[in-house]
Amino acid sequence: MRRGAIIGLGNVAVHAHLPGWLDRRAVEIVAVTDARPAQRAEAATRLPGARWYDSADELLAVEGLDFVDICTPPSSHAGLVTAALRRGLHVLCEKPLVCSPGELATVTQIAAATDRVLHTVHNWHHAPIVRRTWELVRDGAIGQVLRVVWHTLRTRPAATQDEHAGNWRTDPAIAGGGVLTDHGWHVFYVLRRWIGREPLTVSAALERRRHFQWPLEDTARLQLTFPGATAEVFLTWASDVRRNWVELTGTEGTLCIEDDTLVLTRRDGAPREHRWPCPPAMSDGSQHPDWFGPVAEQFLAEIDGSAPRGENLAEVSLCVALEASARESSQRNEQAIPLPVTRPAVGRGPAV
């Protein structure tokens, strides 16, 4: 039995993480904390057997924990991850894991030195339509991927649990950034898997098109170059519709994601078009509870040693580098910024 604790009891914890943990007989959530005292009642309702702590520091001092699940806003992640790792705990954390390359270097070094698993919630890998797209790409349905075009259209940021107090996603001091931080992270790790190569450069323009009252971008346009491939990404909170649309062009055909439908068009003599319904749509909701289960399973498998460590942190390393470089590019009038080769340390080290 793995004993876990949840830090941050907001929407994603309540509606995605908690159901996922409660479905696992080998896991018990024994402790919970949130910076908002009012969440104590929510904890008592959702986790009547768990103990409430008034602060993360008090919770992290609890004896007998195996892991923590961090579901707080991004600006708090690095400090909480560091504190948990130094306590000898495995860590699962919502994206973005950290807000800068410097923070990433710190937490990955501590994870390696303490031999603890550090894993970020990359749940979009497990969206049915994303998973099916990957299977077709892997099996050569469209040959080598040459170009990806990705559009994420939203009318506003995802709501928070206490919206009357303001949405933390619109405060750069808490969120770390705007739509690029919130949605770009998912796009980056999915593109890496689909294209199968590391990007070489990124150019970007970050804009405010509608929500001028917020001191961060509501729209981001990016161009990524890979060896033998390109990606064009458009992310916005300033759309009139809520929708996802993605097109992958390969040497042998195309795949098109039309929210909840996947369309394959081949260039050879086979039937020209295949369509697969893959509900739910990527734009349907923001917590995606059905996508959390496989994340939890991978995290637990890495703890148990039944799955290798490293791939998730390699994705994290790319996401952090891409966001930092995209922001630099936007400040430099969309100049193409070369991306560093960054693979984090994941080897087993002495416990400290």
Side-chain angles (χ1 to χ4, degrees):
M1 178 68 70
R2 294 288 181 182
R3 290 164 53 89
I6 292 179
I7 301 177
L9 201 62
N11 278 339
V12 74
V14 168
H15 299 296
H17 292 224
L18 271 182
W21 293 126
L22 293 174
D23 280 346
R24 278 154 183 79
R25 295 182 179 179
V27 172
E28 183 182 9
I29 301 299
V30 299
V32 63
T33 187
D34 192 285
R36 300 161 297 171
Q39 290 305 98
R40 184 169 189 165
E42 184 85 55
T45 300
R46 305 276 181 173
L47 289 166
R51 184 170 178 180
W52 171 269
Y53 290 87
D54 289 331
S55 72
D57 287 341
E58 290 181 15
L59 182 147
L60 291 173
V62 175
E63 298 293 332
L65 286 178
D66 295 301
F67 72 88
V68 293
D69 181 0
I70 298 172
C71 303
T72 57
S75 63
S76 64
H77 288 179
L80 290 170
V81 168
T82 297
L85 291 172
R86 291 199 184 280
R87 288 281 185 178
L89 304 177
H90 303 287
V91 177
L92 179 68
C93 186
E94 263 297 328
K95 64 84 189 168
L97 176 63
V98 291
C99 296
S100 72
E103 289 180 344
L104 178 63
T106 297
V107 297
T108 54
Q109 287 165 8
I110 296 171
T114 56
D115 191 25
R116 299 295 90 181
V117 171
L118 175 57
H119 199 93
T120 306
V121 179
H122 289 177
N123 57 338
W124 279 46
H125 279 319
H126 309 293
I129 203 163
V130 172
R131 186 173 62 243
R132 183 60 175 143
T133 300
W134 161 236
E135 291 168 352
L136 289 166
V137 169
R138 180 196 60 199
D139 294 342
I142 62 170
Q144 180 178 321
V145 177
L146 303 174
R147 181 176 181 243
V148 180
V149 180
W150 183 303
H151 290 182
T152 295
L153 309 180
R154 301 290 185 268
T155 59
R156 51 159 291 161
T160 56
Q161 198 169 52
D162 53 351
E163 195 82 352
H164 67 279
N167 190 326
W168 59 259
R169 287 184 173 85
T170 66
D171 183 347
I174 301 174
V179 71
L180 177 64
T181 303
D182 198 29
H183 289 277
W185 188 283
H186 290 306
V187 178
F188 297 156
Y189 65 72
V190 170
L191 287 178
R192 179 180 182 270
R193 177 170 291 184
W194 285 350
I195 294 175
R197 283 150 279 166
E198 301 291 330
L200 302 173
T201 68
V202 60
S203 60
L206 308 183
E207 312 166 35
R208 279 187 289 173
R209 294 191 174 186
R210 174 175 292 175
H211 303 292
F212 298 102
Q213 72 275 26
W214 301 332
L216 37 64
E217 77 280 354
D218 67 13
T219 301
R221 295 182 288 107
L222 301 97
Q223 292 268 354
L224 287 74
T225 64
F226 295 76
T230 61
E232 301 155 35
V233 178
F234 179 73
L235 314 167
T236 189
W237 286 335
S239 177
D240 293 325
V241 297
R242 183 179 176 91
R243 182 171 178 251
N244 280 82
W245 179 86
V246 185
E247 184 177 74
L248 295 83
T249 302
T251 54
E252 305 298 330
T254 62
L255 281 165
C256 188
I257 293 175
E258 299 171 355
D259 240 352
D260 65 350
T261 302
L262 181 61
V263 181
L264 167 65
T265 304
R266 295 273 303 177
R267 293 201 180 98
D268 57 20
R272 288 190 56 81
E273 187 176 279
H274 299 272
R275 301 177 70 89
W276 294 270
C278 299
M282 289 197 291
S283 61
D284 184 9
S286 59
Q287 282 86 44
H288 309 297
D290 294 342
W291 307 354
F292 179 75
V295 173
E297 287 300 316
Q298 180 65 29
F299 174 60
L300 295 171
E302 291 186 18
I303 292 175
D304 294 338
S306 58
R309 302 180 189 178
E311 179 61 19
N312 180 266
L313 279 178
E315 292 178 346
V316 167
S317 183
L318 171 65
C319 292
V320 171
L322 271 171
E323 179 170 354
S325 298
R327 294 192 181 280
E328 180 183 352
S329 172
S330 184
Q331 293 168 359
R332 297 188 178 189
N333 297 316
E334 302 184 50
Q335 176 182 333
I337 304 298
L339 290 160
V341 178
T342 52
R343 290 193 67 87
V346 295
R348 301 179 67 86
V352 296

